[in-house]
Amino acid sequence: MLKAGELAPDFEMADQNERAIRLSDYKGKKNVVLFFYPKDFSPVCTLEACCFRDQYELFQSLDTEVIGVSADGVISHAHFAAKYDLPFPLLSDEGDLRSLYSISKTLGFVHGRITFVIDKKGVIIEVIASVFDATRHVEDALNRVRTEENQLRKD
């Protein structure tokens, strides 16, 4: 798996609205919280997505975009986003993006829950891995982005 300090691989994928999302579009403009989750509508994944939703305005105020990624299709993502009023892009990944970010399956068969916090230069500054503690991903990502933005203001 990729680590803090490494350059985040660029990608282009369709979101739930069939818009092309490219990591490179955010470079120099925004931090990105890229969270990989196992499945739309599952209890822990729904909790995680809703926690990101509830903190989305705060992330936005810190020049940060949130992007969710799972193996579910565009239609599932569209229903998931609509049902839970998710304001951020959800990307459908058949495994290419997980492979690009070197994410293996948990226990060999469940898609992992991994969050990458990527700075405006495109460098991974935090990796959060916790299969069952979904709220930790949101809290840790928010704390890391706050630290990053505070450091930029000091410089």
Side-chain angles (χ1 to χ4, degrees):
M1 184 168 49
L2 297 174
K3 296 178 178 73
E6 295 184 285
L7 191 62
D10 194 17
F11 59 82
E12 179 178 336
M13 301 185 81
D15 73 359
Q16 71 271 23
N17 299 311
E18 298 185 21
R19 290 177 306 172
I21 302 295
R22 291 172 206 81
L23 182 61
S24 57
D25 288 345
Y26 299 100
K27 195 169 183 177
K29 300 173 191 162
K30 288 190 171 199
N31 304 301
V32 173
V33 173
L34 184 66
F35 75 100
F36 290 82
Y37 64 99
K39 185 124 182 79
D40 291 346
F41 299 103
S42 68
V44 178
C45 296
T46 299
L47 173 64
E48 180 179 28
C50 289
C51 285
F52 273 117
R53 175 203 62 206
D54 295 346
Q55 297 300 326
Y56 187 70
E57 285 184 30
L58 185 51
F59 278 109
Q60 290 285 285
S61 75
L62 294 166
D63 288 334
T64 303
E65 183 58 69
V66 174
I67 302 172
V69 182
S70 84
D72 296 297
V74 172
I75 293 170
S76 177
H77 282 336
H79 290 296
F80 188 51
K83 181 171 183 174
Y84 293 104
D85 197 27
L86 304 178
F88 44 81
L90 298 175
L91 307 181
S92 296
D93 177 36
E94 295 178 3
D96 295 338
L97 193 53
R98 282 182 185 276
S99 179
L100 191 61
Y101 278 73
S102 302
I103 300 172
S104 59
K105 292 186 178 183
T106 304
L107 304 173
F109 63 93
V110 177
H111 289 292
R113 183 180 317 282
I114 307 288
T115 299
F116 294 91
V117 181
I118 303 164
D119 71 9
K120 293 174 184 174
K121 296 174 192 165
V123 175
I124 297 167
I125 56 173
E126 183 88 16
V127 179
I128 305 150
S130 176
V131 175
F132 300 109
D133 190 357
T135 59
R136 179 179 153 218
H137 288 253
V138 180
E139 294 162 5
D140 288 358
L142 192 52
N143 287 334
R144 187 60 182 97
V145 168
R146 277 187 182 128
T147 300
E148 181 70 13
E149 287 303 303
N150 286 337
Q151 186 63 41
L152 286 174
R153 288 184 185 117
K154 286 180 185 176
D155 294 343

